[in-house]
Amino acid sequence: MIDLRSDTVTQPTEGMRRAMAEAAVGDDVFGDDPTVNALEAKTAELLGKESAVFVPSGTQSNLIALMAHCQRGDEYIVGQLAHTYKYEAGGAAVLGSIQPQPIDMEPNGSLSLDRVASVIKPDDSHFARTRLVCLENTHQGKVVPLEYLRSARAFVDDRGLALHLDGARIWNAAVALGVPPAVVAEPFDSVSVCLSKGLGAPVGSVLVGTASLIAEARRWRKMLGGGMRQAGIIAAAGIYALDHHIDRLAEDHANAQLLAKLLGNVPGVTVKGHDTNMVFVDFGVADYRAFAARLKGHGIVALTGRSSSRLVTHLGVTSADVERFVEVVSDLEPGS
Ligand SMILES: *Cc1c(COP(=O)(O)O)cnc(C)c1O
């Protein structure tokens, strides 16, 4: 099976499974799990922050960050297409009583700071209190430029706001830029990262920030049911992923580039964009569901859409898989 749906479909590698089997564990709600503690310390250090908390998912990590930054009746400014706003079931509003102020995003995945400025509310009882700006990197595979991130920092400092990063794929951004992850994290007060996407761990995210912010976030994690017990079993997979699977993201990026290049030569197929480990294509097929079913018949799973399909490379996809995928697509004569 070649599975290009997402980098969340990876299976734990043999080395990762061994690390999980051998992990020393304890009750993490008591702070007793040495492997969770080691993962938190390691992630905080990698991202240049004071403290960290291990959580089951990126969704929970973003939510506890927003709840730690904002009080009931506060507001956060976020991109229309950002994961925290669009794909997390409205958790900030529903569970945090935090009002989102979504705004259109720039083509590179950033938020225009002029546009952000225009929606910041004055201190007046008519309005929610604007408290936080939330960015995402990578966004749809795109690496948001470092100089933009630094200007966003200066912007929020001028206005007394906080800055959170949904860095589910910060590792891809760092590898693509050729800088340590801490450089990408530097402008932010808090950063949420996923271990279960490109890094290939089966479960887990980590939120990093100041010790006081993380202490607050830890309280929300418990309330949301994210306090896990002998969680070292899964934290061990995270440590293994940080040690062994960051540098290899370059292979995923090379495979995405190869995929974009080869698909570009297939008649009827339009490559609409490709960045880091994602390729966006229009297969030019009238019935994209039937097309997906035909791919499946050849042992390939992909999320196809009407005019745009997202293909994602990850540690379960080799360059040979990419070549085979493009061969199958060519044989299906998508444009005809
Ligand atoms: C996947 C993802 C999340 C959420 O992670 P889950 O572990 O699936 O809850 C947050 N932000 C971005 C950009 C993501 O891609």
Side-chain angles (χ1 to χ4, degrees), residues 50-298:
E50 215 174 16
S51 197
V53 59
F54 180 49
V55 288
S57 69
T59 299
Q60 188 171 104
S61 184
N62 281 322
L63 178 58
I64 64 174
L66 294 173
M67 290 172 81
H69 281 292
C70 300
Q71 304 294 311
R72 180 169 188 234
D74 287 352
E75 169 184 86
Y76 84 111
I77 299 170
V78 62
Q80 287 282 2
L81 301 176
H83 202 282
T84 46
Y85 174 62
K86 192 171 176 189
Y87 299 98
E88 295 178 8
V94 176
L95 301 170
S97 299
I98 302 161
Q99 164 167 284
Q101 168 62 69
I103 60 175
D104 286 342
M105 302 177 77
E106 300 306 298
N108 70 359
S110 69
L111 301 179
S112 146
L113 296 177
D114 287 341
R115 195 171 285 139
V116 174
S118 74
V119 298
I120 295 174
K121 313 292 183 286
D123 182 9
D124 174 319
S125 62
H126 287 84
F127 304 117
R129 277 177 299 249
T130 307
R131 191 71 76 191
L132 174 74
V133 176
C134 179
L135 301 175
E136 186 173 304
N137 196 10
T138 62
H139 172 69
Q140 297 181 349
K142 283 175 289 212
V143 180
V144 182
L146 282 178
E147 72 220 66
Y148 167 80
L149 301 182
R150 290 172 186 145
S151 61
R153 178 75 249 171
F155 175 94
V156 297
D157 282 343
D158 279 350
R159 288 157 181 84
L161 305 176
L163 192 61
H164 171 71
L165 179 67
D166 177 355
R169 295 186 179 85
I170 194 174
W171 321 109
N172 296 83
V175 166
L177 291 166
V179 301
V183 171
V184 185
E186 200 276 327
F188 295 90
D189 297 296
S190 55
V191 181
S192 166
V193 299
C194 286
L195 304 166
S196 59
K197 298 208 165 150
L199 296 195
V203 189
S205 276
V206 183
L207 177 70
V208 299
T210 61
S212 62
L213 187 91
I214 296 303
E216 185 68 15
R218 205 174 271 284
R219 178 174 279 276
W220 291 123
R221 178 187 72 163
K222 190 77 185 81
M223 188 185 290
L224 293 168
M228 299 179 284
R229 302 295 177 175
Q230 283 70 34
I233 300 279
I234 51 176
I239 293 175
Y240 186 92
L242 292 173
D243 283 339
H244 300 279
H245 291 171
I246 295 181
D247 293 344
R248 66 150 305 287
L249 291 171
E251 285 172 45
D252 298 345
H253 299 177
N255 283 336
Q257 195 165 359
L258 177 68
L259 181 56
K261 184 178 138 222
L262 296 179
L263 278 175
N265 296 331
V266 179
V269 175
T270 311
V271 177
K272 303 177 91 174
H274 103 267
D275 292 278
T276 59
N277 67 332
M278 297 188 188
V279 181
F280 293 86
V281 294
D282 181 350
F283 285 112
V285 292
D287 187 344
Y288 61 92
R289 288 197 185 88
F291 185 68
R294 290 169 76 197
L295 287 175
K296 203 158 189 186
H298 289 85

